[in-house]
Amino acid sequence: MKPLTLLIEILIILGVTIKNIEAEKHNKRQKETNVTTQVSVNEVKQYLSHILERRRSRKVINKRENLLGKKKKQHKLKMKGIQNKDFLKRNKNHLKEQEKKNFTDEGDVLFNMGTKILQESKSQKQKAEAYMLFAKAADMGNLKAMEKMADALLFGNFGMQNITAAIQLYESLAKEGSYKAQNALGFLSSYGIGMEYDQAKALIYYTFGSAGGSMMSQMILGYRYLSGINVLQNCEVALNHYKKVADYIADNLEKSEGIPVEKVRLTERPENLSSNSEILDWDIYQYYKFLAERGDVQIQVSLGQLHLIGRKGLDQDYYKALYYFLKAAKAGSANAMAFIGKMYLEGNAAAPQNNATAFKYFSMAASKGNAIGLHGLGLLYFYGKGVPVNYAEALKYFQKAAEKGWPNAQFQLGFMYYSGSGVWKDYKLAFKYFYLASQSGQPLAIYYLAEMYATGTGVLRSCRTAVELYKGVCELGHWAEKFLTAYFAYKDGDIDSSLVQYALLAEMGYEVAQSNSAFILESKKAKILEKEKMYPMALLLWNRAAIQGNAFARVKIGDYHYYGYGTKKDYETAATHYSIAADKYQSAQAMFNLAYMYEHGLGIAKDIHLARRLYDMAAQTSPDAHIPVFFALMKLETMHLLRDILFLNFTLRWKWLKLDNVLGPYWDLFVIGLIVVMLIFLIKNRHR
């Protein structure tokens, strides 16, 4: 169990943080409809004093009970003899167990209350209140609440990051058999965050975590065996780990589109990052709301979809979704009618489950030839919701919707042929429709394709293909929500919190998280790792991202070897990585760097003609490369001309070709500057 002082610290931080959150975001909160009041810090202090007083009184009562018990025991032993000893012991144990049970039950109630608030929360204040309840439940010994508090301390929820305290809690929980704690300790050991960097120990923690039921540990082990990270590469073992997680994800997914995860790349330009298309800016959202109220049907449907599944950084809000869909449906939007039918089919707080209403709206949409409406009618007939089960009708509607390119209908057709529901089993047709749906990212279609490749059903068995497909399904797990919280933490300047979240996702094999973690480490703004460890760790993460196909990461590896960041200088290795990025990914930056190396003979044989060609290719590949290429070619041609002239006239008298000895190692920059000055001079004279 954790010490009381740690809980007091956590609760005080929560109270102060709530106050800071409300103060910093006061102006923004006024724009929102769900303005909430600030939790009083006095309430926190009162609760803390209550805990302390309760602990003191409990100790006093226990002492009195012990003294009284001893006196009674001695008296009864004298009066009735030693036979009553066992009875007294059993009675005392029973009272202790009853007290412990009551204490545990109260902790469970508080934990469940906190979980419910957290699930329904729409503001930071409500989330903070949930963690207040977790802290109280943790004080009563609730292990799940302790896990929540440890995660909050690790990931820096509400600015309360404390790695040391988190490790203490995790170590205590690990002794109690918590698989979440095992996974967390493995993650911290693998990066050396707050603990000794030890990959062997991390592997042991992950193994225990996966054995205990941690899906995250299973996924991490799957990625390690797939890539051969500190273990022998073994596709079959990776397949086994990934399949367990994919089965879990598939069981929780409804047979409809999966909720996409917004994965913002921090490596993008700052101007693009500030208005990233993955996250909807608040001002743009307000503008969309204005257009929707003015009657823009397309915007109404779009806002309804965003609120229906909670995308682009917006909270899931069924009431707002239904509001916008109804407005658009009234204006005649078939898509809106179909989405209303979907809401009533699935059932939620705003639209309680009602098959008749769902059939009505699906029929209205289908009559307009809408693919979502046709698919909805197919589902009703396939599962017999509000109508008798009719596979023939379901097949007809699924086929019509699939012809219009709706991926969920394509999946349903594949599933019918795969399972033989209403049709003869046909694995070739099943594979065809699963593949079509998978091209649009339909998660269950990807899952069934993985199943077919893993078992060799209808296709030639391929372990590698199956693992890659399972990995794609696994990356749709609820843990991917950390992409959003990590991004917002980065935007708010909480670099350490952002890094820890991205680093955990990177450990699980997310390529975007690997490049984002490396980007943050490279900036050296984080404080949770020593400065000298940042470049080597960044290089490791860039390498993992590059293996998964990230061209920018491949160029970065070349840069690290060229400049000697986190490793020794190695021009040959740098040139190799630049060549891969240029040939495989057509990277303009890699072409430019490689051209420079050919021009100067760095790590590769000097070749002026190949340098010219690569400079030209860089300019053709990216418009951004035009100006740098222009100056590079001007310098190259000028130096080539000067060398030819000087070689003809002063070969015997001058050995000035060793310009490094005359003008220093950066003489080429001097020449570029001279050329720029000459160009400016010529342009000015021309205007005169």
Side-chain angles (χ1 to χ4, degrees), residues 298-315:
Q298 188 175 352
I299 295 294
Q300 289 168 349
V301 175
S302 297
L303 285 176
Q305 286 180 268
L306 292 176
H307 282 297
L308 180 61
I309 57 178
R311 284 197 61 196
K312 301 284 186 182
L314 296 179
D315 290 326

Side-chain angles (χ1 to χ4, degrees), residues 33-82:
T33 55
N34 58 343
V35 177
T36 54
T37 57
Q38 171 183 320
V39 175
S40 173
V41 179
N42 291 329
E43 292 178 13
V44 180
K45 291 180 179 178
Q46 287 173 7
Y47 172 68
L48 289 173
S49 62
H50 170 68
I51 291 177
L52 292 169
E53 188 62 36
R54 189 180 64 195
R55 283 292 179 94
R56 292 192 195 101
S57 62
R58 196 183 301 153
K59 287 180 181 178
V60 172
I61 290 169
N62 287 339
K63 285 181 181 178
R64 288 178 180 175
E65 284 181 350
N66 289 336
L67 289 171
L68 186 62
K70 285 180 181 178
K71 288 180 180 179
K72 284 183 177 180
K73 184 178 177 182
Q74 290 171 357
H75 178 70
K76 288 187 177 182
L77 283 172
K78 289 177 181 178
M79 298 295 295
K80 295 184 178 180
I82 199 141

Side-chain angles (χ1 to χ4, degrees), residues 45 67 82 106 128 156 217 244 263 277-278 313 373 398 400 433 439 457 500 559 567 571 591 622 625 662:
K45 291 180 179 178
L67 289 171
I82 199 141
E106 188 179 349
S217 289
K244 289 177 182 177
K263 301 175 184 176
S277 60
E278 297 289 345
F398 288 148
K400 288 182 179 180
Y433 286 114
Q439 297 304 294
T457 305
V500 170
D559 291 344
T567 184
Y571 291 140
M591 292 173 187
S622 172
V662 180

Side-chain angles (χ1 to χ4, degrees), residues 281-299:
D281 187 77
W282 174 258
D283 294 329
I284 296 174
Y285 172 63
Q286 293 298 322
Y287 178 63
Y288 283 165
K289 282 177 66 176
F290 170 74
L291 292 177
E293 294 301 328
R294 291 287 298 270
D296 190 316
V297 176
Q298 188 175 352
I299 295 294

Side-chain angles (χ1 to χ4, degrees), residues 285-435:
Y285 172 63
Q286 293 298 322
Y287 178 63
Y288 283 165
K289 282 177 66 176
F290 170 74
L291 292 177
E293 294 301 328
R294 291 287 298 270
D296 190 316
V297 176
Q298 188 175 352
I299 295 294
Q300 289 168 349
V301 175
S302 297
L303 285 176
Q305 286 180 268
L306 292 176
H307 282 297
L308 180 61
I309 57 178
R311 284 197 61 196
K312 301 284 186 182
L314 296 179
D315 290 326
Q316 190 177 50
D317 192 323
Y318 292 121
Y319 291 98
K320 287 182 180 179
L322 185 61
Y323 169 76
Y324 286 119
F325 285 144
L326 286 171
K327 285 180 76 71
K330 191 176 180 180
S333 169
N335 275 338
M337 296 171 189
F339 278 114
I340 294 171
K342 183 177 184 294
M343 291 183 73
Y344 278 104
L345 175 63
E346 296 172 357
N348 55 63
Q353 207 285 327
N354 190 311
N355 291 327
T357 308
F359 185 86
K360 169 190 168 185
Y361 279 103
F362 280 142
S363 298
M364 290 167 62
S367 66
K368 293 175 176 285
N370 182 269
I372 307 173
L374 290 165
H375 170 254
L377 288 176
L379 287 176
L380 293 174
Y381 281 109
F382 185 82
Y383 292 106
K385 294 191 174 184
V387 293
V389 172
N390 190 328
Y391 289 131
E393 282 293 297
L395 183 66
K396 180 183 75 175
Y397 284 118
F398 288 148
Q399 284 175 335
K400 288 182 179 180
E403 287 169 3
K404 294 177 179 291
W406 186 239
N408 293 341
Q410 292 167 345
F411 162 73
Q412 286 296 152
L413 281 175
F415 183 75
M416 290 183 76
Y417 285 111
Y418 182 82
S419 60
S421 302
V423 294
W424 291 103
K425 280 188 179 182
D426 190 329
Y427 291 127
K428 287 187 178 179
L429 278 176
F431 179 84
K432 170 191 171 183
Y433 286 114
F434 285 150
Y435 180 79

Side-chain angles (χ1 to χ4, degrees), residues 638-649 651 657:
T638 303
M639 293 308 303
H640 190 61
L641 178 63
L642 287 172
R643 281 177 176 174
D644 286 345
I645 294 171
L646 291 170
F647 181 76
L648 290 171
N649 294 283
T651 302
L657 287 174

